[in-house]
Amino acid sequence: MSLKDIIAPFSVWKRVFEKPYTNKKPIESRPGAPRYRGFHKNDIDTCIGCGTCEEICQNAAIDMVPVKETQHGDSGLRPRIDYGRCCWCALCVDICPSGSLGMSNEYLWVDDDPEVYRFTPGFDETSWNTSELGYHRAEGYDLLEGQRVPMPMLSFEESRKSFVEMVQGYSTKQAKAEADRCISCGLCVATCPAHMRVPDYIKAIRDDDMVEGLKIVYQANPLPASCGRVCSHACEYVCAMKHKGEALSIRWLKRYIVDQIYLGDYGSILKECEPDNGKSVAIIGSGPGGLSAAYYLRLLGYAVTIFDANEKAGGMLRYGIPEYRLPYDQVEKDIAFIESLGVIFKQDVRIGIDIDFMEIYGKHDAIFFSTGLTNPYALDIVGEDLPGVMSPLKMLADVTNGTKPEIGSSVVVVGGGNVAMDAARTSRRYGADVTVLYRRREVDMPADSEEIHEARGEGCDIIVQAIPLRIEKGDHTRLKLFWGEAEMVSDGPGRRPKPVLIEGSEFEVACDTVIPAIGQSGDFSYLPEDMVSKLLGSRGAVEVDEFHRTAIPKIYAGGDITNPKRDAISAIANGHSAAKGIDIYLNNIAE
């Protein structure tokens, strides 16, 4: 041992006479730096409960616990922090899509109860939750990609010239890049009417496992080729990534999976049917609701026969949606697999004319009907019966059947839903100048936002707050439509404003064709009158329970005639629920 080693311990005595580095009153002084990573805070109203913070935490210091009522886009869960585990790395703050989670600059917390150090920021009362100081994700610093991968599409100039599919679909590279944006929060699953396992099939895309992806998709949706193109994608409206910029392209990723697999390979990939159980179910209507019910019933071993009035199956998927949005071969792909399972299709059969409903009722153990809304609402204005006033559903069906609609060179479409947009955009493809009149504000239009954008891009003139007044014969065109301007008047708390005609305002549009597209009602003329009175509610919709059973135990119903959402994915979900209900009924009650 050297002399230096012996003397070194005594050298510290010189520090006795220096100013101490310790703080005599640490609790009363020395605040944290402005961006110090102290105790967590959370704006629980901005937080969506996605659980990304829990997922990224390397120390398992975060648990998601129920705090609020679950609603669309909000799981109701909020992060609970365990300061026995937390290392204050702030990854949870950096990853938070909504930006609700932060850290205060406070770091002193004294208590003799260790349990208080497991707390829920923003819910449990603390002195620092409203503090503006502390650590927040820096502007422009992102661990998540906020912008979606652009979808290749035809230009508006190209699209309005033909019925070629406008949305071209992702390449493998693009699909994987978009799938990488998913944080697997599951908010989409809760919102989807069919409760599809969205994060799981997106993971299959990341893993380049299309076989697994197809299996997952078919668990809740037997029409993915169609739905991957025209689904109303409610899931995307609640996507956590929307808080970072743009929602994930969930619908288009579903389409990508189906586009990668040939129909001929479906049989070797998907679940086989149970052995025939000796019971039969009749389905009236081959739209999405009927096809969905048929698929899941057939998997359970039921003999299934579909009756439909149209020449080909598909319902509104085929006859109500133009081919530039949903190509017919994609509808055929979905239907062909269902038919390959042994489902019998009886097309061009009108119930009540070609076969009596009671005959079907007597021959089958249960019935599911999903016949859609086929009777267009009238405008209830003078001149609506003039030649040149055309039903949008007839026009779209004629196009599907290969008949060119006689619309002339100018068209006025009245309405703001998807059917109105489809009629308008189809008219543009036949060279007509198109004006769309809608009585409320554009924000109130029920059509998908991209449909409105694309209609306008293709040259449709959209006029809002316009109320049709009357239709007359035209001077130089077949017709002329008169409309008045509407002002929006409050209709009470929680309700959207209602349009009220401004007296004395009147405008004229010369046109060859007027297409009223303001909605439709169901046609139940094929049912016996005594049954109709038992099935319909006060609003003209068929009333059903959670399994879509009607007041007549043997009869089930779904789709637009039962629910107000009136979209394909809701009808698909209805068909699936009805299949479960029919199976329960026939195995437990009917015996």
Side-chain angles (χ1 to χ4, degrees), residues 73-92:
D74 185 349
S75 70
L77 304 176
R78 296 296 182 264
R80 182 179 63 184
I81 314 294
D82 183 350
Y83 279 158
R85 291 176 174 269
C86 179
C87 67
W88 284 269
C89 67
L91 275 175
C92 53

Side-chain angles (χ1 to χ4, degrees), residues 188-201 212-225 227-228 231 254 258 270-271 288-289 291-293 295-296 299 334 337-338 568-580:
C188 46
V189 179
T191 302
C192 173
H195 302 302
M196 298 186 71
R197 291 166 51 197
V198 175
D200 292 337
Y201 72 66
E212 180 63 18
L214 191 72
K215 289 178 180 178
I216 294 169
V217 166
Y218 262 84
Q219 288 175 1
N221 187 342
L223 304 173
C227 210
C231 181
K254 176 169 53 189
V258 183
L270 297 173
K271 184 178 178 181
L291 292 170
S292 175
Y295 173 76
Y296 292 110
L299 288 186
D334 287 334
F337 180 64
I338 294 173
I569 188 63
S570 297
I572 290 168
N574 294 166
H576 195 177
S577 296
K580 295 176 184 176

